[in-house]
Amino acid sequence: MVRIGGSTPHGSHIKESDYYTPAGEFKVDRDGSQTMLNSLMYKLSYYKFGQMFTESGKPSGYDRVRSAEIGNKDFELDVLEEAYTTEHWLVRIYKVKDLPNRSGK
């Protein structure tokens, strides 16, 4: 996703290297880059996941696929809200929140 975004004229400010750790890895744990941990892609994937207990003896927000506790657990979405998430979190759908400064006219 990052590579695709950075290859478009409107996404020329997106640099794939900003999403890597200094060791050149994509990580979602506390060692992940701040750009990755604060990206919309990360937030839409892990929204409310920090509250989930996925495995006995592991902390909340433990990603079993990556064998890591996610690095950014406590965040809210300002513009989007969760509309639907499947049981195993494979599909997540969001909708744009109503803007408080607009009437419903």
Side-chain angles (χ1 to χ4, degrees):
M1 297 296 286
V2 173
R3 187 172 296 152
I4 292 168
S7 69
T8 67
H10 294 294
S12 61
H13 64 284
I14 299 170
K15 305 295 180 224
E16 186 177 358
S17 59
D18 293 343
Y19 292 80
Y20 290 118
T21 65
E25 303 170 298
F26 270 124
K27 295 193 93 172
V28 298
D29 60 12
R30 67 174 184 254
D31 296 330
S33 74
Q34 287 305 303
T35 303
M36 171 62 95
L37 298 181
N38 291 306
S39 69
L40 183 62
M41 175 179 63
Y42 178 95
K43 289 181 175 182
L44 294 181
S45 297
Y46 286 113
Y47 180 61
K48 294 187 179 178
F49 191 75
Q51 302 165 9
M52 300 294 297
F53 287 92
T54 58
E55 192 170 313
S56 179
K58 299 292 183 182
S60 67
Y62 184 77
D63 185 332
R64 293 182 299 180
V65 173
R66 290 163 189 82
S67 300
E69 179 182 359
I70 63 171
N72 186 2
K73 293 184 185 183
D74 301 315
F75 58 86
E76 291 296 322
L77 300 175
D78 297 326
V79 179
L80 300 170
E81 66 182 72
E82 181 181 17
Y84 177 77
T85 297
T86 58
E87 180 181 0
H88 298 289
W89 295 54
L90 293 176
V91 174
R92 304 199 75 188
I93 299 172
Y94 293 87
K95 69 177 188 174
V96 177
K97 290 181 181 179
D98 291 331
L99 297 174
N101 62 346
R102 299 227 175 144
S103 66
K105 298 178 185 177

